[in-house]
Amino acid sequence: MRSLLDEWELLELCDAAELGVSELITNVVRHVPDRRCTVLMLRVAAGMRVEVSDGVPELPLMAAELSMDAEGARGLVLLDAVADKWGAERVSGGGKRVWFECWRR
């Protein structure tokens, strides 16, 4: 990821992008039975976009309130904190796509 962001001259987005990808892949490992997904990184006008697709149609929900001792449900809260924009959508043929964008400042 770092080399691609360097090639795109977006290295300043690396920390946020790495954390976002890590959280989305962790969700796949925890919630997708076969643990299979596709990761797509795209250069967009404002910066970069990452899409993680899997075969489970249920969309992720961000916890409204987290207790301080909660062991899970922090991934989307972290994603919301580091990404400029994110979302989730069902895809044709089943499954879903969770995506985020990080923009150049």
Side-chain angles (χ1 to χ4, degrees), residues 8-10 12-13 42-49 101-105:
W8 289 345
E9 298 180 359
L10 295 172
E12 70 271 15
L13 303 179
L42 303 163
R43 175 74 163 94
V44 295
M48 56 90 62
R49 177 182 174 106
E101 293 183 0
C102 294
W103 301 333
R104 165 179 265 166
R105 304 280 176 235

Side-chain angles (χ1 to χ4, degrees), residues 80-95:
D80 191 57
V82 300
D84 291 291
K85 186 176 179 182
W86 71 274
E89 58 215 13
R90 288 186 178 88
V91 295
S92 63

Side-chain angles (χ1 to χ4, degrees), residues 22-100:
S22 174
E23 292 303 326
L24 294 184
I25 297 298
T26 297
N27 284 347
V28 169
V29 170
R30 292 185 79 177
H31 303 292
V32 176
D34 65 6
R35 294 188 169 109
R36 295 179 63 167
C37 69
T38 301
V39 178
L40 178 64
M41 291 181 56
L42 303 163
R43 175 74 163 94
V44 295
M48 56 90 62
R49 177 182 174 106
V50 174
E51 299 178 354
V52 176
S53 302
D54 64 55
V56 175
E58 288 81 25
L59 299 178
L61 298 173
M62 188 161 66
E65 292 184 27
L66 289 174
S67 68
M68 293 303 287
D69 59 348
E71 291 186 26
R74 297 186 188 279
L76 293 179
V77 173
L78 287 171
L79 183 62
D80 191 57
V82 300
D84 291 291
K85 186 176 179 182
W86 71 274
E89 58 215 13
R90 288 186 178 88
V91 295
S92 63
K96 70 177 166 299
R97 176 183 309 116
V98 183
W99 58 269
F100 69 91

